[in-house]
Amino acid sequence: MKADVGIVIGANDVVNPSARDDAGSPIAGMPILDVETARTVMVLKRSMNPGFAGVDNELYGRDNTMMIFGDAKETVTRIVSGLKNL
């Protein structure tokens, strides 16, 4: 995938690279979205709670990932407004 920015809204397990990279993970082999390949990944979440599988997401600690906490609709609205004002 070639993308400058990946925006993840409320997902957890479906973007967790350990499903692909860690054979011992409870979610090993689960299909995931490869968002970590984007230059910058923005993750919108309400908290750091783990997903359904209860597994920490290694994506959240990567250098190209930024966490944005709060209401996703409000956050996306602010992002779009900021882009329009460029």
Side-chain angles (χ1 to χ4, degrees):
M1 169 169 35
K2 294 182 181 181
D4 288 331
V5 178
I7 299 177
V8 177
I9 300 175
N12 197 55
D13 297 332
V14 298
V15 294
N16 191 336
S18 67
R20 182 189 54 248
D21 302 337
D22 180 2
S25 171
I27 60 172
M30 183 179 95
I32 63 165
L33 302 171
D34 297 328
V35 297
E36 78 278 2
T37 62
R39 187 179 320 177
T40 302
V41 180
M42 299 167 59
V43 179
L44 284 57
K45 287 186 62 94
R46 285 184 258 188
S47 72
M48 283 297 291
N49 290 339
F52 182 76
V55 178
D56 286 336
N57 193 327
E58 69 178 55
L59 172 69
Y60 301 162
R62 293 199 174 185
D63 290 340
N64 66 329
T65 301
M66 63 177 67
M67 303 293 293
I68 304 170
F69 296 101
D71 181 83
K73 182 177 179 181
E74 291 174 14
T75 303
V76 170
T77 300
R78 287 193 329 255
I79 291 169
V80 170
S81 176
L83 290 172
K84 285 180 181 179
N85 291 328
L86 289 178

